[in-house]
Amino acid sequence: MKKLMSATAITNPTWYVDERVIFHGQAKPYDYYGAKDPTIVYYGGKYHVFYTGANQGGGWQMLYTSASTISGLKNSARTYMSSIGESYFCAPQVFYFEPKKLWYLIYQDGTHGAAYATTTNIADPKSWSGPKSLGMSGNMGWDYYVICDDSYAYMYNTPSDGSGRLFVRKTSLSNFPTGWGSPSVALSDTFEGANVYKSLADGQYYLTIEDQKDGRYYELWTSRNAGGPWNKLSEKWAWRGNLSYKADRWTNNVSHGEIIRAGYNQKMEINNIDRVEFLIQGTNSLSGPYQQIIWDLGVIRNYK
């Protein structure tokens, strides 16, 4: 039996900021102000990206794009997710759920609050079936994120009560995507946009979550289990103070993003937490109405 190493993640790495690859305003009217909240997988020779667009009317809609390389995303077609379209549907997470042989989009919407859609073909943005309810109740808030181990699916989300808490609940793999139990508090004194990954290098789980005590930045937490309990490794793991620019200085904030995974299934595996590519939303100004903040998407990486 392989012995798992203890968590030794670098707590204050240098992050090298690459160029922007998805700009706001490339799919008007849906992304007039911002391209936000990306989720990304590499499958079938392409990077598949789903993200939120902020429009002029106050709504949020999801868009899709794909390319064979990260830099190729700059010129790839943008597609509005019309098959599951609503005036409000955003903050997606995508993965392939192997037990049911389906791709899942987990997201927030105006119909169910916590919603999902499915397809057998991730490359066809018009093939998604939904929205469907995840069957959860209470203060669901936003930013729903799922990770699975060999027995359970865990759902993380931020309640909309200003408490700074992060909730977690679980269901069995056989009951997924419904059957969720009552929530418990996974973290306190934080903000939103939590993601959880399993690192293949050391067998540890790592939770990244955005905070806003000094602009927008990411904390790093670790656990032996996908459902916690969590121990903080770094308050400012990715923040303006450790950004090194390889392109233009297009952001001084590290906001809602997702690490590019080693695979694409429900286990959310990455190779090594100290060697990741992190697709984030960024901006140099957080002033003005929230809907009208200008966000673009690009990759930062904690290795040369």
Side-chain angles (χ1 to χ4, degrees):
M1 184 176 182
K2 184 178 179 180
K3 183 179 180 181
L4 299 180
M5 298 161 52
S6 60
T8 57
I10 298 170
T11 58
N12 187 32
T14 297
W15 288 91
Y16 298 93
V17 182
D18 290 341
E19 62 183 349
R20 285 168 283 185
V21 293
I22 297 176
F23 293 77
H24 72 285
Q26 292 181 309
K28 291 179 180 176
Y30 308 111
D31 63 349
Y32 186 91
Y33 289 118
K36 307 180 65 208
D37 313 330
T39 183
I40 181 170
V41 292
Y42 185 77
Y43 176 79
K46 288 186 176 181
Y47 291 96
H48 302 268
V49 182
F50 300 82
Y51 62 101
T52 302
N55 68 32
Q56 284 181 287
W60 312 83
Q61 293 88 35
M62 285 174 3
L63 299 154
Y64 166 80
T65 191
S66 66
S68 58
T69 63
I70 293 295
S71 62
L73 292 170
K74 288 186 296 184
N75 300 310
S76 58
R78 302 343 184 189
T79 302
Y80 168 61
M81 300 288 290
S82 60
S83 65
I84 54 173
E86 302 178 70
S87 62
Y88 169 71
F89 68 122
C90 59
Q93 179 203 13
V94 69
F95 58 88
Y96 185 71
F97 188 66
E98 291 178 327
K100 294 189 176 180
K101 296 181 172 58
L102 285 171
W103 289 97
Y104 276 76
L105 267 177
I106 307 294
Y107 58 99
Q108 62 194 61
D109 79 340
T111 301
H112 304 292
Y116 75 95
T118 59
T119 186
T120 57
N121 182 9
I122 191 175
D124 180 2
K126 298 185 183 301
S127 66
W128 291 90
S129 177
K132 303 170 187 176
S133 175
L134 284 161
M136 293 181 286
S137 60
N139 187 342
M140 291 309 302
W142 48 74
D143 292 343
Y144 315 123
Y145 187 89
V146 171
I147 182 171
C148 303
D149 57 21
D150 291 333
S151 301
Y152 295 100
Y154 300 86
M155 165 71 77
Y156 289 84
N157 81 281
T158 301
S160 57
D161 58 6
S163 65
R165 296 178 297 173
L166 176 69
F167 287 164
V168 62
R169 65 192 78 205
K170 70 179 181 179
T171 188
S172 65
L173 293 185
S174 60
N175 284 335
F176 179 83
T178 58
W180 300 96
S182 299
S184 60
V185 177
L187 300 179
S188 298
D189 190 29
T190 189
F191 184 40
E192 65 182 21
N195 291 356
V196 180
Y197 310 94
K198 184 176 183 180
S199 174
L200 298 175
D202 59 10
Q204 297 285 329
Y205 288 90
Y206 290 93
L207 185 154
T208 63
I209 187 166
E210 187 176 350
D211 210 339
Q212 57 173 356
K213 299 181 183 74
D214 184 5
R216 300 292 190 95
Y217 63 90
Y218 264 87
E219 303 171 2
L220 181 66
W221 298 70
T222 190
S223 177
R224 301 280 291 183
N225 304 294
W230 297 98
N231 298 306
K232 183 183 284 188
L233 292 178
S234 179
E235 171 66 21
K236 292 182 176 180
W237 180 58
W239 71 298
R240 59 182 176 84
N242 57 13
L243 299 181
S244 177
Y245 298 87
K246 297 175 66 178
D248 63 309
R249 298 175 67 92
W250 61 271
T251 185
N252 57 15
N253 290 274
V254 181
S255 188
H256 195 133
E258 187 176 84
I259 291 172
I260 300 176
R261 294 168 243 155
Y264 50 84
N265 69 15
Q266 73 279 358
K267 292 187 177 181
M268 301 296 150
E269 293 171 333
I270 59 174
N271 286 319
N272 186 336
I273 193 66
D274 290 328
R275 192 176 178 85
V276 299
E277 296 171 311
F278 194 5
L279 179 62
I280 65 161
Q281 66 180 40
T283 186
N284 282 316
S285 176
L286 296 170
S287 63
Y290 183 72
Q291 175 81 14
Q292 297 177 21
I293 296 174
I294 302 299
W295 297 100
D296 297 317
L297 305 180
V299 169
I300 65 173
R301 65 192 74 221
N302 58 357
Y303 67 94
K304 287 187 177 180

